[in-house]
Amino acid sequence: MEKLVIKGPTPLKGEIKINGAKNAAVAILPATLLIDGICTLDNLPHISDVMISCEILEKLGAKITWNTKNCITIDTRHIDTTQTPLDLTSKFRASYYMIGSMLGRKGEIEVGMPGGCQLGARPIDQHIKGFEMLGATVSVGNGVIYAKADSLVGNSIYMDIVSVGATINIMLAAVLAKGTTTIDNAAKEPHVVDVANFLNAMGADIRGAGTDIIKINGVDRLNGNSTYSVVPDQIEAGTFMLAAVATKGDLLIKNCITKHLDSITAKIVEVGGIVEDFGDSLHVYCNHRPSKANIKTLPYPGFPTDLQPQMGVVLALADGTSIINESIWESRFQYTQELNKMGAQITAQGKTAIFEGVETLSGSPVCSTDLRAGAALIIAGTAANGVTEVHNLEHIDRGYEDIEEKFRSIGAQINRIKT
Ligand code: UD1
């Protein structure tokens, strides 16, 4: 077991380089199963979700060569089995992308029920509905999902709810299907677009990703033989933007797509921070106590739920009373109890939390309840007076590369300690 020990307060200052996007990487890796060839993936974040994805691909027959820490070459010419290791697939959420990819590649797949952060109920009915409309049969039982299709045929699929995972999964299943698939009410997140860009670079014909309607014209084969660089991580960039504001710091955040961060920039400006936009980098600073703001999380281009806890730290320290309405996940306020241990005054009920801003937080032992909650607690520990210990690091390591090195490089006094 490990913990992070943080001594604050420290205004975070300096430059930080953003890695490739976790949520794009964990979809692009399974997407390589659709390729009857070899491809190279660059700008892959070196995080545990990526490592587990690679392990699953290898168990299915893929050959992976690590060129550098963030670049792999993957040969998916020989996929020998349709059974994924159930213990590995149930370790993280994105293992459900193996279903869309393997239905396309082999017409059959068995995966463990996806794991991941406990944010409330995480149904996959829209994924299943999409697969069935393409001609697959899907059964779920005893912690296992089994899907089979003699052939997949394009169809018009209306999503009852905007779902990132279902949009990507149906796109994966449709790439090699016969005819045209239309996904209506599709998710528009940057990683949906990135997966479509990757597949198109490998020979797919996907149009409209990033809008409400995605059209996939089925092709016979994906050839690969190409190098693809994963999009910069919108959520990692937003995490550091909010860390700059919460700690009254001054950060230059490099290697990001600033357009993806518009909703965060707008809220930072609303609370009194300054954001200078240079297209592929952002200068964010705030030399005073932030002011209150209200937030509602929404699908892209709305304020992302995955930055709600980090924004929560800013509002916990803000001047005045703020309200966050979480519209995506039903239990994403577990981190507020941890912040309250540090002196915050937050009342959370259901999907709403009221933040009575306090001037300072004080260090305390806290528990990372999920991935983004963990990032929020590191920010809180950096802003707080005294020593904070963050426990349960496995969540954080699933999604942030070298998190403590990065915080240390911008001034945080943070150390990882074995317990
Ligand atoms: C992805 C992200 C996650 C992020 C979330 C919302 C990955 C690996 N994870 O999760 O970090 O918090 O998007 O931006 O990319 N829903 C259904 N039925 C379904 C699917 C979803 O009702 O079949 C509901 C969910 O309960 C939730 C909402 O739709 O309320 C959005 O979920 P979705 O976009 O699918 O989230 P994930 O893809 O699981």
Side-chain angles (χ1 to χ4, degrees):
M1 297 268 273
E2 293 177 324
K3 64 181 177 185
L4 289 174
V5 179
I6 307 163
K7 191 164 176 301
T10 309
L12 295 173
K13 291 191 174 164
E15 289 184 12
I16 202 87
K17 185 169 173 276
I18 298 306
N19 284 105
K22 164 195 170 278
N23 287 346
V26 295
I28 288 174
L29 284 163
T32 62
L33 288 164
L34 291 163
I35 300 169
D36 188 8
I38 300 172
C39 71
T40 297
L41 294 177
D42 205 356
N43 204 31
L44 263 189
H46 201 84
I47 52 177
S48 69
D49 272 10
V50 162
M51 299 306 145
I52 300 172
S53 301
C54 288
E55 221 181 312
I56 296 171
L57 291 177
E58 285 178 323
K59 293 250 154 68
L60 290 170
K63 296 211 168 16
I64 296 178
T65 311
W66 287 86
N67 306 316
T68 67
K69 183 181 175 189
N70 300 105
C71 177
I72 62 172
T73 296
I74 177 156
D75 178 350
T76 39
R77 282 175 297 180
H78 306 289
I79 299 301
D80 327 309
T81 170
T82 57
Q83 284 197 325
T84 59
L86 302 184
D87 55 327
L88 290 182
T89 44
S90 54
K91 270 194 180 162
F92 69 127
R93 190 78 198 146
S95 56
Y96 52 36
Y97 293 134
M98 300 285 163
I99 309 175
S101 301
M102 284 294 278
L103 274 177
R105 177 70 187 264
K106 300 291 263 187
E108 189 176 10
I109 178 70
E110 186 178 295
V111 295
M113 214 48 196
C117 293
Q118 297 306 317
L119 309 173
R122 299 187 76 171
I124 56 164
D125 56 296
Q126 297 300 303
H127 304 235
I128 294 175
K129 166 180 151 173
F131 298 143
E132 289 178 343
M133 289 187 76
L134 295 176
T137 51
V138 184
S139 59
V140 184
N142 295 329
V144 173
I145 305 169
Y146 175 72
K148 186 166 169 43
D150 293 331
S151 69
L152 292 169
V153 181
N155 205 341
S156 293
I157 300 166
Y158 176 81
M159 311 293 300
D160 300 322
I161 197 160
V162 178
S163 161
V164 172
T167 301
I168 293 177
N169 229 342
I170 295 167
M171 209 160 72
L172 292 170
V175 162
L176 299 178
K178 292 193 184 73
T180 298
T181 299
T182 308
I183 307 175
D184 211 325
N185 199 24
K188 295 179 279 202
E189 267 66 4
H191 42 292
V192 174
V193 179
D194 204 43
V195 178
N197 287 344
F198 165 76
L199 290 164
N200 284 341
M202 302 296 145
D205 182 358
I206 303 173
R207 299 163 193 212
T211 74
D212 294 322
I213 302 179
I214 302 179
K215 199 175 248 191
I216 305 121
N217 296 313
V219 296
D220 292 336
R221 190 163 179 263
L222 297 189
N223 297 315
N225 296 327
S226 188
T227 297
Y228 189 81
S229 186
V230 176
V231 71
D233 197 319
Q234 173 209 22
I235 305 301
E236 191 197 10
T239 299
F240 282 104
M241 290 171 78
L242 294 166
V245 179
T247 63
K248 301 195 189 97
D250 184 329
L251 291 179
L252 181 65
I253 298 160
K254 295 166 95 173
N255 189 37
C256 57
I257 298 179
T258 59
K259 180 83 195 126
H260 293 167
L261 295 152
D262 281 352
S263 62
I264 298 97
T265 297
K267 282 296 160 186
I268 289 178
V269 170
E270 193 177 324
V271 301
I274 310 280
V275 181
E276 291 168 350
D277 185 339
F278 303 111
D280 60 358
S281 63
L282 286 168
H283 180 200
V284 183
Y285 58 100
C286 185
N287 57 13
H288 54 82
R289 189 176 176 197
S291 45
K292 67 188 167 79
N294 295 333
I295 307 283
K296 180 170 185 175
T297 62
L298 288 168
Y300 188 82
F303 193 93
T305 175
D306 286 356
L307 287 170
Q308 188 259 98
Q310 301 88 319
M311 187 74 206
V313 180
V314 172
L315 299 184
L317 287 162
D319 187 4
T321 303
S322 308
I323 298 176
I324 295 185
N325 183 253
E326 168 60 55
S327 81
I328 311 288
W329 301 116
E330 57 192 31
S331 42
R332 196 154 211 180
F333 284 125
Q334 297 166 65
Y335 75 92
T336 60
Q337 291 173 21
E338 303 304 304
L339 288 185
N340 284 348
K341 289 180 193 163
M342 301 175 74
Q345 289 185 20
I346 309 167
T347 316
Q349 194 169 33
K351 288 188 162 187
T352 304
I354 299 168
F355 293 70
E356 303 285 354
V358 295
E359 262 188 71
T360 52
L361 295 173
S362 11
S364 165
V366 286
C367 203
S368 159
T369 47
D370 62 73
L371 168 57
R372 307 304 172 182
L377 293 173
I378 295 176
I379 297 173
T382 309
N385 289 319
V387 176
T388 296
E389 288 185 2
V390 182
H391 296 261
N392 269 19
L393 302 187
E394 63 277 11
H395 292 299
I396 302 174
D397 293 337
R398 283 188 31 235
Y400 288 93
E401 177 175 325
D402 293 339
I403 185 107
E404 70 268 25
E405 281 87 348
K406 282 196 168 179
F407 269 85
R408 208 177 296 125
S409 75
I410 49 178
Q413 293 186 56
I414 178 169
N415 286 299
R416 186 178 287 246
I417 292 177
K418 284 204 187 323
T419 56

